[in-house]
Amino acid sequence: MDTNFVTTPFGRRAMTRAMLTGQSKARDVNPAHSVDKWKLYRALCEARGRLGISDRTLALLNALLSFYPKTEISSETGLVVFPSNQQLSLRANGMAEQTIRRHLALLVNAGLIARKDSANGKRYSRRHRDGEIREAFGFSLAPLLARSSEIEAMAQDVIADRLRLQNVRESITICRRDIAKLIAMAEIENAPGEWPAHYQTFRDIIDSIPRNADIDLITTALQKLRALRVLIINTLDTWKDSRILGGNPSQNERHIQISESESSLDSEPETVTEIAENVRSDSSSSRTPNGTIPLSLVLSACPAIADYAPCGDIRDWRDLSAAANVVGRMFGISPSAYQAACSTMGAISTAVAVSCILERSEHIQSPGGYLRHLTRQSEAGSFSAAQMLMGLMKTREQAIAELIRN
């Protein structure tokens, strides 16, 4: 039987502890045990990281397994394969002979195969008169068979770890979105709280996660993000409850007036020409953009901003401001720069400006620097959100006209 041997390697190759261990495990194979070689190979592919073998080493093992005549590896049908390096090269997609030797040594050191060298180092078999193999020299798959249960369990652990990692990454993505949008909403609504500090904590946690982080590091980051989200939600709940308790009829009346103003936007000018006329006829910088620009036109000129809305849809100016705040953070615009823009231009003008910046982001190297430039223009009285939007639409119309001419 092929498992009952201890053999040393031919030639100058020294005997190693890995060879002795592999042969020792081979002797422990249960004669009645068998395993599907391709099912075991798939398990090896999953567990290759823990076994310390590469894809190239697995490719060579695949070639070795293809020389085993049966689908089921069993000691009853023999466990030694004896292909030449030339035959292995043909089935390993032309792998060089020197590379074959190196990966064979890696398979032996990993305890997946064992050498059974002949007296002259050749690989061959001796057969009985009836054609059955009496003795074979080459590479024994006995260690692979002996470790089949271990390898399958290892593969299951790797798959389970990968699923856990995927679940944790998905949870981090959701938690990141929640924190970013809650902070953006809190700043727009002027809710009391340490929002710049919370945002800095949020960025510190995210930036501490390396690209190839392990499950433990990502789980720790998720726990920190969840704790921060709970802190933010508790702060907002306290603020919300205080607003409900401190409400009065005049506040409620004001909310109704805002709602009515937003619902009447359809009657406002909707063409570039009409906007230009309104801009020329009203040079006062104190006039709010929603007095000259319909929200529907902003969304038509800047459709990308809707992807960042709190509910995936922009229904009013407040939704536009929330989406613009999220885009500002995505561009790396500092909270102080964004707040300065809102203080100078107004929250709605800033939202329109950021929406235009998003549409032309591929042409703007520094969105934060550009917003600061617009803020300085607004301080000088030379900035108009309506004119910026009109310029964006004219540029788009010119591009379309040029495309049609060509």
Side-chain angles (χ1 to χ4, degrees):
M1 200 166 64
D2 294 310
T3 58
N4 293 330
F5 67 90
V6 172
T7 180
T8 55
F10 171 78
R12 296 181 179 179
R13 290 194 301 269
M15 185 67 178
T16 65
R17 180 180 298 181
M19 293 181 186
L20 187 62
T21 301
Q23 294 181 24
S24 176
K25 289 185 177 180
R27 291 195 301 272
D28 297 334
V29 173
N30 185 345
H33 181 54
S34 65
V35 64
D36 186 306
K37 63 181 180 181
W38 299 124
K39 181 179 178 181
L40 182 59
Y41 178 76
R42 288 192 293 272
L44 279 167
C45 291
E46 291 288 352
R48 66 182 182 274
R50 297 192 179 185
L51 291 168
I53 55 177
S54 66
D55 295 341
R56 295 275 284 172
T57 306
L58 281 173
L60 184 62
L61 179 60
N62 181 290
L64 272 177
L65 290 175
S66 69
F67 286 99
Y68 192 79
K70 304 289 185 179
T71 301
E72 294 285 327
I73 300 178
S74 170
S75 59
E76 294 180 354
T77 56
L79 292 171
V80 176
V81 290
F82 40 89
S84 65
N85 285 346
Q86 183 179 5
Q87 291 173 319
L88 278 174
S89 177
L90 291 174
R91 296 199 187 182
N93 301 318
M95 187 179 290
E97 184 172 341
Q98 184 177 2
T99 306
I100 288 174
R101 290 197 186 99
R102 185 171 70 253
H103 288 294
L104 285 172
L106 290 173
L107 287 171
V108 172
N109 291 335
L112 299 178
I113 63 173
R115 294 183 183 274
K116 186 180 180 183
D117 288 347
S118 63
N120 59 5
K122 301 294 183 181
R123 302 170 199 157
Y124 60 89
S125 64
R126 292 195 181 98
R127 298 178 181 269
H128 295 287
R129 291 183 178 180
D130 58 5
E132 290 186 3
I133 295 178
R134 176 167 58 88
E135 190 173 17
F137 298 96
F139 298 100
S140 173
L141 303 179
L144 198 60
L145 179 61
R147 299 183 63 185
S148 59
S149 298
E150 174 194 350
I151 292 169
E152 289 173 352
M154 198 180 297
Q156 291 176 0
D157 288 343
V158 170
I159 294 172
D161 287 346
R162 185 168 64 245
L163 291 176
R164 284 196 296 271
L165 182 61
Q166 180 181 345
N167 291 336
V168 173
R169 285 190 179 277
E170 289 177 353
S171 297
I172 280 186
T173 299
I174 294 172
C175 206
R176 287 180 64 174
R177 182 187 66 199
D178 292 346
I179 292 173
K181 292 192 174 184
L182 286 171
I183 292 178
M185 183 271 293
E187 291 183 338
I188 291 172
E189 297 288 343
N190 292 322
E194 300 295 330
W195 307 119
H198 291 332
Y199 180 75
Q200 186 59 52
T201 301
F202 167 63
R203 289 308 319 171
D204 290 342
I205 296 172
I206 296 301
D207 294 341
S208 68
I209 305 175
R211 183 177 297 273
N212 296 319
D214 58 25
I215 182 68
D216 294 333
L217 188 58
I218 294 181
T219 300
T220 301
L222 177 59
Q223 292 171 349
K224 293 179 180 178
L225 287 173
R226 283 176 171 170
L228 179 60
R229 181 173 60 181
V230 169
L231 176 61
I232 292 171
I233 291 174
N234 290 339
T235 303
L236 291 175
D237 284 343
T238 303
W239 167 69
K240 179 185 65 177
D241 293 341
S242 65
R243 290 192 63 184
I244 293 174
L245 292 175
N248 55 58
S250 63
Q251 289 178 333
N252 294 334
E253 182 180 354
R254 182 174 181 273
H255 291 313
I256 294 173
Q257 290 173 352
I258 292 173
S259 177
E260 290 174 352
S261 173
E262 290 168 355
S263 66
S264 64
L265 290 173
D266 292 338
S267 63
E268 296 173 351
E270 296 187 0
T271 66
V272 174
T273 303
E274 290 174 329
I275 291 175
E277 291 175 355
N278 281 338
V279 171
R280 284 192 295 269
S281 64
D282 185 8
S283 60
S284 173
S285 61
S286 63
R287 187 173 183 181
T288 57
N290 55 321
T292 55
I293 306 175
L295 179 62
S296 58
L297 191 58
V298 177
L299 298 180
S300 177
C302 308
I305 193 67
D307 295 336
Y308 301 90
C311 299
D313 183 32
I314 294 178
R315 297 161 297 184
D316 51 37
W317 292 105
R318 183 169 295 174
D319 286 347
L320 180 69
S321 296
N325 203 322
V326 173
V327 171
R329 295 186 182 282
M330 180 187 72
F331 281 148
I333 299 174
S334 66
S336 59
Y338 196 94
Q339 186 61 42
C342 290
S343 300
T344 304
M345 297 188 288
I348 295 178
S349 292
T350 302
V352 174
V354 171
S355 300
C356 293
I357 291 173
L358 177 63
E359 288 298 321
R360 293 186 56 79
S361 58
E362 59 183 18
H363 303 289
I364 299 174
Q365 293 184 350
S366 175
Y370 190 65
L371 184 62
R372 284 190 289 271
H373 170 70
L374 296 180
T375 303
R376 288 192 294 270
Q377 283 189 333
S378 180
E379 290 174 346
S382 60
F383 171 76
S384 169
Q387 288 179 339
M388 185 177 185
L389 184 67
M390 185 174 63
L392 175 63
M393 295 184 66
K394 282 186 176 180
T395 301
R396 182 171 297 167
E397 288 176 357
Q398 290 172 358
I400 294 174
E402 184 69 22
L403 183 62
I404 293 174
R405 284 196 299 270
N406 295 334

